[in-house]
Amino acid sequence: MMRSPPPPQSQNNSNYGSPYAGQTGGGTFAPGFGGFMNDPTAQMGYQLGKTALNTGQEYMEQNINRYVSIPALKHYFNVSTPYVLRKLALVLFPWRHKPWSREQRPSHSPPPSASSPAAAAQQSNYYYLPPRDDLNSPDMYIPVMAFVTYILLSTLLAGLRGRFHPEVMGLTATTAFVVVLLEILGLKFGTYVLSISNDSQLLDLVAYSGYKFVGVIVTLVVSETLNRGAGTGGWAGWTVFTYTFMANALFLLRSLKYVLLPDSSSASAPGMHTVARSQRNRRTQFLFIYSYIVQFVFMWILSRQDGSPAQAKVAAAQAAKVVGGASS
């Protein structure tokens, strides 16, 4: 991947990047600042601070890397605006999308076990392209943003219905967090039972688990518009919910096939190996249960909104009574 070159560094030019670089006035600020930086005590303090910062950064990376690989997480946030727009369209309209397989590229460095160029060509390592270069690659940017948007949207809708109270945002965030936590624990248990030990595959499952919030957000917005503030109940709410649920289920079913059901053609991919027939049947059952039954339960919990007009009018009348009593 090509990266932008770093800015030029010059040890003799202390005015680099300064808005006063082109001025030649007789002020004393610039010489005084340069003299301060040339002071041995200041340089020693700068070196000590830099060493402490590097040590703290290394300590944090070592402790975080025990549980999560930071370079692997950076791969899932390598997105672009066109990718985000196309991915959202794919999650909501997955019916005619082809192909679903992820794109791979051979690495430039040959494997250590290769003893000749021919052996290196046969044993060359492959890596998956980042999300910005592959529409079928999972990312964590959309799930994280959708998670936050869901909490804010639910709070906003509660306020529009006249049912807002300070605990709404906390309760909504707690519910969403518990759903995500239960799903991650279930995925962790499923990977253990199905003998999926590759960390990248587990991160892929975690990323795919967050796309449900896109369908939930669409369900809340469209149902609120069609029901005129009555929440997600009624035929309109259930119709929108059914569509978003089926779209999310098909998206997961097609996307997770390469993770749980790899075939011989993907054996060269990192962490991908063919599975036995009995193990393949178990993974097929897990994929169906996760894509349909589990997602239906969690999406129903997240999209359930009680916003009947009668209750909203009662709450508004009680609020007006309290305000009138206080003013009198």
Side-chain angles (χ1 to χ4, degrees):
M1 179 183 297
M2 299 183 62
R3 298 181 179 178
S4 301
Q9 298 180 358
S10 176
Q11 297 180 355
N12 297 327
N13 186 10
S14 60
N15 292 329
Y16 178 78
S18 172
Y20 305 100
Q23 300 181 9
T24 57
T28 60
F29 174 76
F33 183 76
F36 172 77
M37 291 303 298
N38 292 330
D39 184 73
T41 305
Q43 292 182 358
M44 183 179 298
Y46 173 77
Q47 294 295 334
L48 289 176
K50 184 177 181 181
T51 303
L53 180 62
N54 293 336
T55 303
Q57 184 177 0
E58 293 178 358
Y59 177 79
M60 291 294 296
E61 290 181 355
Q62 291 176 358
N63 285 272
I64 294 177
N65 284 335
R66 295 179 181 178
Y67 307 97
V68 180
S69 176
I70 300 300
L73 286 180
K74 291 181 179 179
H75 170 87
Y76 291 94
F77 286 93
N78 186 9
V79 300
S80 61
T81 302
Y83 165 82
V84 172
L85 296 177
R86 294 174 59 195
K87 193 72 170 186
L88 292 175
L90 176 60
V91 173
L92 296 176
F93 307 100
W95 316 109
R96 302 183 63 180
H97 175 72
K98 288 183 180 180
W100 291 90
S101 59
R102 295 179 60 180
E103 297 185 12
Q104 306 175 26
R105 291 291 184 272
S107 60
H108 297 288
S109 58
S113 59
S115 58
S116 63
Q122 295 178 357
Q123 302 177 11
S124 58
N125 296 324
Y126 287 79
Y127 66 94
Y128 286 125
L129 294 181
R132 68 163 54 237
D133 299 325
D134 183 14
L135 180 61
N136 295 324
S137 177
D139 71 282
M140 292 189 180
Y141 175 81
I142 294 178
V144 171
M145 292 297 102
F147 178 85
V148 178
T149 304
Y150 164 76
I151 297 175
L152 298 178
L153 178 63
S154 299
T155 306
L156 175 63
L157 294 179
L160 294 177
R161 300 187 193 108
R163 300 175 58 83
F164 176 80
H165 52 88
E167 293 82 7
V168 169
M169 180 175 291
L171 293 175
T172 304
T174 302
T175 302
F177 180 77
V178 170
V179 167
V180 172
L181 182 60
L182 290 177
E183 188 164 358
I184 292 177
L185 293 177
L187 290 173
K188 188 67 175 179
F189 177 76
T191 55
Y192 172 77
V193 173
L194 299 176
S195 301
I196 301 176
S197 58
N198 192 285
D199 293 337
S200 62
Q201 291 176 301
L202 177 60
L203 291 177
D204 288 349
L205 293 174
V206 174
Y208 281 118
S209 67
Y211 287 111
K212 71 169 67 66
F213 286 97
V214 176
V216 171
I217 290 173
V218 173
T219 301
L220 293 178
V221 173
V222 177
S223 300
E224 189 74 15
T225 304
L226 296 179
N227 290 334
R228 299 180 180 180
T232 56
W235 66 269
W238 277 105
T239 301
V240 178
F241 172 80
T242 302
Y243 175 83
T244 56
F245 159 70
M246 294 300 296
N248 181 74
L250 179 63
F251 170 76
L252 292 178
L253 193 66
R254 297 289 180 85
S255 300
L256 291 176
K257 183 179 179 180
Y258 83 96
V259 179
L260 300 177
L261 302 173
D263 50 20
S264 57
S265 61
S266 61
S268 59
M272 293 297 177
H273 305 281
T274 56
V275 295
R277 181 178 298 273
S278 60
Q279 189 75 0
R280 189 179 185 87
N281 294 334
R282 294 171 61 185
R283 294 190 180 190
T284 303
Q285 296 173 2
F286 174 81
L287 179 60
F288 177 82
I289 295 175
Y290 173 74
S291 300
Y292 286 91
I293 300 178
V294 175
Q295 295 302 312
F296 177 85
V297 174
F298 285 154
M299 290 185 68
W300 179 78
I301 293 175
L302 293 173
S303 62
R304 184 180 57 181
Q305 296 285 334
D306 186 11
S308 59
Q311 293 180 350
K313 291 181 180 179
V314 171
Q318 292 178 351
K321 185 183 298 186
V322 171
V323 173
S327 60
S328 60

